[in-house]
Amino acid sequence: MPRLAYVNGRFIPHASAFVHIEDRGYQFADAVYEVVAVQDGAFVDLPGHLERLRYSLGELRIRPPLGLPALTLIMHDLVRRNRIRDGSLYLQITRGVAPRDFKFPTATKSAIVMTTRRRPTAPVRPPADGVAVVTVPELRWARRDIKSTSLLAQVLAKQQAAEAGAFEAWMVDPDGFVTEGASSNAWIVDRNGVLVTRQADRSILKGVTGNAIAGLAAGRGLEIERRKFSVAEALNAREAFLTSATTFCVPVTRIDLQPVGDGRPGPVATALGRHYLDYAGRQEPPFGWAP
Ligand code: PMP
């Protein structure tokens, strides 16, 4: 059976799934998206991803093409049809197809596409010695709280990281503070053992995974501070790590070739990674799913 994509109401073989050349997602990045991990046949943190999708659509005044219950049903159906047990689902909603004109078109229906992937995208098992990140200047727009497909700055950042042999790029604002990773949230465990990550305002995307991990950490008595941290503080921290739906929780052991702490994955990041993996494996499988 060919791998299927969902495109505007139809399940279509992935290889022959196309969208129109005047889709506003293609021309203006006038679109939002979500990536949801699938673990043991169940979506991980689905309510958080749906809530953020609703928020992103609302901020851009894109009318959802479907109600949330129908959307969820189709997400489950695509995962089932593609027999994804462990992997991820990508969902994109654009303002739709219209003759090219910057302002919002009237009476245009929003467009929706969904695809799935098998592991290894979700979750990437952290290498035993952690991962390296490089720092890059923050080049993005001022509404990073919206999960828009306007990702050119992240494309450049990820390419720079790849060319440096690093796993991720940490973007740094003009004041020297880390905002977040190109596709993940950035965390440190400071000298006092406090978990630190930037406050979720418009300067970063509010990570669904990071939020769940913060909950797990708080439940284990760890203190969490939502504030800015500099690259220098990260290098001086006990530990660093990153979180995202596709990587879960990954220890960061080098920043710009310099070691973080003793240069080895720290106990807090390692434990949180284990707890999250366990939590991810305990999510409700979709109705009727038989792996
Ligand atoms: N920040 C950015 C810029 C991202 O692209 C992502 C990945 N979606 C994240 C943070 C992490 O968010 P989540 O945990 O919801 O995947």
PDB file of all heavy atoms in Angstrom, residues 16-36:
ATOM      1  N   SER A  16       2.099  11.505  -5.437  1.00  0.00           N
ATOM      2  CA  SER A  16       1.336  12.298  -6.400  1.00  0.00           C
ATOM      3  C   SER A  16       0.456  13.342  -5.710  1.00  0.00           C
ATOM      4  O   SER A  16      -0.572  13.760  -6.230  1.00  0.00           O
ATOM      5  CB  SER A  16       0.491  11.384  -7.296  1.00  0.00           C
ATOM      6  OG  SER A  16      -0.239  10.486  -6.490  1.00  0.00           O
ATOM      7  N   ALA A  17       0.865  13.758  -4.506  1.00  0.00           N
ATOM      8  CA  ALA A  17       0.093  14.760  -3.761  1.00  0.00           C
ATOM      9  C   ALA A  17       0.686  16.146  -4.022  1.00  0.00           C
ATOM     10  O   ALA A  17       1.853  16.396  -3.744  1.00  0.00           O
ATOM     11  CB  ALA A  17       0.141  14.443  -2.267  1.00  0.00           C
ATOM     12  N   PHE A  18      -0.128  17.038  -4.582  1.00  0.00           N
ATOM     13  CA  PHE A  18       0.345  18.389  -4.924  1.00  0.00           C
ATOM     14  C   PHE A  18      -0.632  19.449  -4.442  1.00  0.00           C
ATOM     15  O   PHE A  18      -1.809  19.171  -4.270  1.00  0.00           O
ATOM     16  CB  PHE A  18       0.489  18.533  -6.448  1.00  0.00           C
ATOM     17  CG  PHE A  18       1.509  17.607  -7.030  1.00  0.00           C
ATOM     18  CD1 PHE A  18       1.111  16.451  -7.671  1.00  0.00           C
ATOM     19  CD2 PHE A  18       2.867  17.880  -6.916  1.00  0.00           C
ATOM     20  CE1 PHE A  18       2.047  15.572  -8.201  1.00  0.00           C
ATOM     21  CE2 PHE A  18       3.804  17.010  -7.438  1.00  0.00           C
ATOM     22  CZ  PHE A  18       3.399  15.860  -8.084  1.00  0.00           C
ATOM     23  N   VAL A  19      -0.099  20.676  -4.297  1.00  0.00           N
ATOM     24  CA  VAL A  19      -0.996  21.808  -4.031  1.00  0.00           C
ATOM     25  C   VAL A  19      -0.849  22.818  -5.168  1.00  0.00           C
ATOM     26  O   VAL A  19       0.093  22.771  -5.959  1.00  0.00           O
ATOM     27  CB  VAL A  19      -0.693  22.482  -2.665  1.00  0.00           C
ATOM     28  CG1 VAL A  19      -1.022  21.554  -1.512  1.00  0.00           C
ATOM     29  CG2 VAL A  19       0.740  22.970  -2.581  1.00  0.00           C
ATOM     30  N   HIS A  20      -1.793  23.733  -5.213  1.00  0.00           N
ATOM     31  CA  HIS A  20      -1.859  24.707  -6.314  1.00  0.00           C
ATOM     32  C   HIS A  20      -0.692  25.707  -6.253  1.00  0.00           C
ATOM     33  O   HIS A  20      -0.236  26.072  -5.178  1.00  0.00           O
ATOM     34  CB  HIS A  20      -3.198  25.442  -6.192  1.00  0.00           C
ATOM     35  CG  HIS A  20      -3.580  26.195  -7.409  1.00  0.00           C
ATOM     36  ND1 HIS A  20      -3.097  27.448  -7.684  1.00  0.00           N
ATOM     37  CD2 HIS A  20      -4.392  25.860  -8.448  1.00  0.00           C
ATOM     38  CE1 HIS A  20      -3.593  27.874  -8.837  1.00  0.00           C
ATOM     39  NE2 HIS A  20      -4.387  26.922  -9.319  1.00  0.00           N
ATOM     40  N   ILE A  21      -0.249  26.199  -7.424  1.00  0.00           N
ATOM     41  CA  ILE A  21       0.879  27.154  -7.449  1.00  0.00           C
ATOM     42  C   ILE A  21       0.517  28.499  -6.820  1.00  0.00           C
ATOM     43  O   ILE A  21       1.402  29.261  -6.447  1.00  0.00           O
ATOM     44  CB  ILE A  21       1.418  27.402  -8.883  1.00  0.00           C
ATOM     45  CG1 ILE A  21       0.295  27.876  -9.805  1.00  0.00           C
ATOM     46  CG2 ILE A  21       2.114  26.162  -9.420  1.00  0.00           C
ATOM     47  CD1 ILE A  21       0.819  28.441 -11.122  1.00  0.00           C
ATOM     48  N   GLU A  22      -0.760  28.781  -6.692  1.00  0.00           N
ATOM     49  CA  GLU A  22      -1.127  30.040  -6.039  1.00  0.00           C
ATOM     50  C   GLU A  22      -1.640  29.822  -4.610  1.00  0.00           C
ATOM     51  O   GLU A  22      -2.373  30.648  -4.070  1.00  0.00           O
ATOM     52  CB  GLU A  22      -2.118  30.837  -6.897  1.00  0.00           C
ATOM     53  CG  GLU A  22      -1.399  31.495  -8.073  1.00  0.00           C
ATOM     54  CD  GLU A  22      -2.197  32.597  -8.752  1.00  0.00           C
ATOM     55  OE1 GLU A  22      -3.364  32.348  -9.079  1.00  0.00           O
ATOM     56  OE2 GLU A  22      -1.650  33.693  -8.942  1.00  0.00           O
ATOM     57  N   ASP A  23      -1.220  28.733  -4.034  1.00  0.00           N
ATOM     58  CA  ASP A  23      -1.500  28.543  -2.604  1.00  0.00           C
ATOM     59  C   ASP A  23      -0.699  29.608  -1.851  1.00  0.00           C
ATOM     60  O   ASP A  23       0.497  29.797  -2.098  1.00  0.00           O
ATOM     61  CB  ASP A  23      -1.072  27.149  -2.160  1.00  0.00           C
ATOM     62  CG  ASP A  23      -1.523  26.851  -0.741  1.00  0.00           C
ATOM     63  OD1 ASP A  23      -0.997  27.492   0.204  1.00  0.00           O
ATOM     64  OD2 ASP A  23      -2.403  26.003  -0.584  1.00  0.00           O
ATOM     65  N   ARG A  24      -1.351  30.282  -0.930  1.00  0.00           N
ATOM     66  CA  ARG A  24      -0.676  31.387  -0.231  1.00  0.00           C
ATOM     67  C   ARG A  24       0.422  30.893   0.710  1.00  0.00           C
ATOM     68  O   ARG A  24       1.309  31.666   1.101  1.00  0.00           O
ATOM     69  CB  ARG A  24      -1.714  32.233   0.517  1.00  0.00           C
ATOM     70  CG  ARG A  24      -2.591  33.013  -0.448  1.00  0.00           C
ATOM     71  CD  ARG A  24      -3.649  33.792   0.305  1.00  0.00           C
ATOM     72  NE  ARG A  24      -3.096  34.767   1.220  1.00  0.00           N
ATOM     73  CZ  ARG A  24      -2.862  36.053   0.911  1.00  0.00           C
ATOM     74  NH1 ARG A  24      -3.145  36.510  -0.299  1.00  0.00           N
ATOM     75  NH2 ARG A  24      -2.383  36.874   1.822  1.00  0.00           N
ATOM     76  N   GLY A  25       0.377  29.624   1.053  1.00  0.00           N
ATOM     77  CA  GLY A  25       1.481  29.060   1.830  1.00  0.00           C
ATOM     78  C   GLY A  25       2.747  29.063   0.998  1.00  0.00           C
ATOM     79  O   GLY A  25       3.833  29.427   1.473  1.00  0.00           O
ATOM     80  N   TYR A  26       2.615  28.714  -0.250  1.00  0.00           N
ATOM     81  CA  TYR A  26       3.743  28.661  -1.183  1.00  0.00           C
ATOM     82  C   TYR A  26       4.261  30.067  -1.495  1.00  0.00           C
ATOM     83  O   TYR A  26       5.458  30.318  -1.501  1.00  0.00           O
ATOM     84  CB  TYR A  26       3.265  27.932  -2.443  1.00  0.00           C
ATOM     85  CG  TYR A  26       4.259  27.867  -3.573  1.00  0.00           C
ATOM     86  CD1 TYR A  26       5.504  27.265  -3.415  1.00  0.00           C
ATOM     87  CD2 TYR A  26       3.940  28.409  -4.818  1.00  0.00           C
ATOM     88  CE1 TYR A  26       6.405  27.203  -4.462  1.00  0.00           C
ATOM     89  CE2 TYR A  26       4.832  28.343  -5.875  1.00  0.00           C
ATOM     90  CZ  TYR A  26       6.058  27.743  -5.689  1.00  0.00           C
ATOM     91  OH  TYR A  26       6.950  27.682  -6.733  1.00  0.00           O
ATOM     92  N   GLN A  27       3.368  31.017  -1.715  1.00  0.00           N
ATOM     93  CA  GLN A  27       3.798  32.351  -2.149  1.00  0.00           C
ATOM     94  C   GLN A  27       4.194  33.289  -1.013  1.00  0.00           C
ATOM     95  O   GLN A  27       5.089  34.105  -1.176  1.00  0.00           O
ATOM     96  CB  GLN A  27       2.682  33.004  -2.974  1.00  0.00           C
ATOM     97  CG  GLN A  27       2.485  32.286  -4.309  1.00  0.00           C
ATOM     98  CD  GLN A  27       1.526  33.013  -5.225  1.00  0.00           C
ATOM     99  OE1 GLN A  27       0.560  33.625  -4.754  1.00  0.00           O
ATOM    100  NE2 GLN A  27       1.773  32.930  -6.513  1.00  0.00           N
ATOM    101  N   PHE A  28       3.511  33.169   0.135  1.00  0.00           N
ATOM    102  CA  PHE A  28       3.749  34.155   1.201  1.00  0.00           C
ATOM    103  C   PHE A  28       4.127  33.513   2.539  1.00  0.00           C
ATOM    104  O   PHE A  28       4.269  34.238   3.522  1.00  0.00           O
ATOM    105  CB  PHE A  28       2.475  34.978   1.454  1.00  0.00           C
ATOM    106  CG  PHE A  28       2.002  35.792   0.280  1.00  0.00           C
ATOM    107  CD1 PHE A  28       0.766  35.538  -0.298  1.00  0.00           C
ATOM    108  CD2 PHE A  28       2.766  36.831  -0.235  1.00  0.00           C
ATOM    109  CE1 PHE A  28       0.303  36.288  -1.360  1.00  0.00           C
ATOM    110  CE2 PHE A  28       2.313  37.588  -1.301  1.00  0.00           C
ATOM    111  CZ  PHE A  28       1.081  37.320  -1.873  1.00  0.00           C
ATOM    112  N   ALA A  29       4.223  32.187   2.600  1.00  0.00           N
ATOM    113  CA  ALA A  29       4.315  31.496   3.890  1.00  0.00           C
ATOM    114  C   ALA A  29       3.143  31.935   4.783  1.00  0.00           C
ATOM    115  O   ALA A  29       3.289  32.077   5.995  1.00  0.00           O
ATOM    116  CB  ALA A  29       5.656  31.731   4.586  1.00  0.00           C
ATOM    117  N   ASP A  30       1.988  32.127   4.148  1.00  0.00           N
ATOM    118  CA  ASP A  30       0.778  32.561   4.854  1.00  0.00           C
ATOM    119  C   ASP A  30       0.099  31.303   5.388  1.00  0.00           C
ATOM    120  O   ASP A  30      -0.956  30.882   4.894  1.00  0.00           O
ATOM    121  CB  ASP A  30      -0.114  33.330   3.875  1.00  0.00           C
ATOM    122  CG  ASP A  30      -1.287  34.021   4.558  1.00  0.00           C
ATOM    123  OD1 ASP A  30      -1.417  33.896   5.791  1.00  0.00           O
ATOM    124  OD2 ASP A  30      -2.082  34.664   3.841  1.00  0.00           O
ATOM    125  N   ALA A  31       0.748  30.685   6.364  1.00  0.00           N
ATOM    126  CA  ALA A  31       0.345  29.346   6.776  1.00  0.00           C
ATOM    127  C   ALA A  31       0.903  29.008   8.150  1.00  0.00           C
ATOM    128  O   ALA A  31       1.895  29.601   8.585  1.00  0.00           O
ATOM    129  CB  ALA A  31       0.873  28.332   5.758  1.00  0.00           C
ATOM    130  N   VAL A  32       0.264  28.064   8.790  1.00  0.00           N
ATOM    131  CA  VAL A  32       0.755  27.581  10.087  1.00  0.00           C
ATOM    132  C   VAL A  32       0.891  26.066  10.019  1.00  0.00           C
ATOM    133  O   VAL A  32       0.334  25.424   9.120  1.00  0.00           O
ATOM    134  CB  VAL A  32      -0.187  27.979  11.241  1.00  0.00           C
ATOM    135  CG1 VAL A  32      -0.362  29.482  11.300  1.00  0.00           C
ATOM    136  CG2 VAL A  32      -1.532  27.284  11.110  1.00  0.00           C
ATOM    137  N   TYR A  33       1.614  25.509  10.991  1.00  0.00           N
ATOM    138  CA  TYR A  33       1.799  24.056  10.966  1.00  0.00           C
ATOM    139  C   TYR A  33       1.963  23.524  12.376  1.00  0.00           C
ATOM    140  O   TYR A  33       2.152  24.284  13.328  1.00  0.00           O
ATOM    141  CB  TYR A  33       3.001  23.668  10.094  1.00  0.00           C
ATOM    142  CG  TYR A  33       4.360  23.967  10.695  1.00  0.00           C
ATOM    143  CD1 TYR A  33       5.163  22.929  11.165  1.00  0.00           C
ATOM    144  CD2 TYR A  33       4.839  25.260  10.813  1.00  0.00           C
ATOM    145  CE1 TYR A  33       6.418  23.176  11.718  1.00  0.00           C
ATOM    146  CE2 TYR A  33       6.080  25.524  11.365  1.00  0.00           C
ATOM    147  CZ  TYR A  33       6.861  24.478  11.818  1.00  0.00           C
ATOM    148  OH  TYR A  33       8.081  24.742  12.380  1.00  0.00           O
ATOM    149  N   GLU A  34       1.907  22.211  12.472  1.00  0.00           N
ATOM    150  CA  GLU A  34       2.205  21.498  13.720  1.00  0.00           C
ATOM    151  C   GLU A  34       2.900  20.199  13.367  1.00  0.00           C
ATOM    152  O   GLU A  34       2.676  19.638  12.291  1.00  0.00           O
ATOM    153  CB  GLU A  34       0.924  21.165  14.511  1.00  0.00           C
ATOM    154  CG  GLU A  34       0.381  22.279  15.363  1.00  0.00           C
ATOM    155  CD  GLU A  34       1.325  22.750  16.460  1.00  0.00           C
ATOM    156  OE1 GLU A  34       2.084  21.934  17.007  1.00  0.00           O
ATOM    157  OE2 GLU A  34       1.292  23.952  16.768  1.00  0.00           O
ATOM    158  N   VAL A  35       3.748  19.741  14.246  1.00  0.00           N
ATOM    159  CA  VAL A  35       4.359  18.419  14.127  1.00  0.00           C
ATOM    160  C   VAL A  35       4.047  17.688  15.433  1.00  0.00           C
ATOM    161  O   VAL A  35       4.384  18.183  16.507  1.00  0.00           O
ATOM    162  CB  VAL A  35       5.886  18.502  13.926  1.00  0.00           C
ATOM    163  CG1 VAL A  35       6.476  17.098  13.785  1.00  0.00           C
ATOM    164  CG2 VAL A  35       6.233  19.357  12.710  1.00  0.00           C
ATOM    165  N   VAL A  36       3.395  16.556  15.328  1.00  0.00           N
ATOM    166  CA  VAL A  36       3.007  15.808  16.523  1.00  0.00           C
ATOM    167  C   VAL A  36       3.688  14.446  16.481  1.00  0.00           C
ATOM    168  O   VAL A  36       3.614  13.743  15.463  1.00  0.00           O
ATOM    169  CB  VAL A  36       1.468  15.610  16.582  1.00  0.00           C
ATOM    170  CG1 VAL A  36       1.060  15.032  17.933  1.00  0.00           C
ATOM    171  CG2 VAL A  36       0.738  16.915  16.312  1.00  0.00           C
TER     172      VAL A  36
END
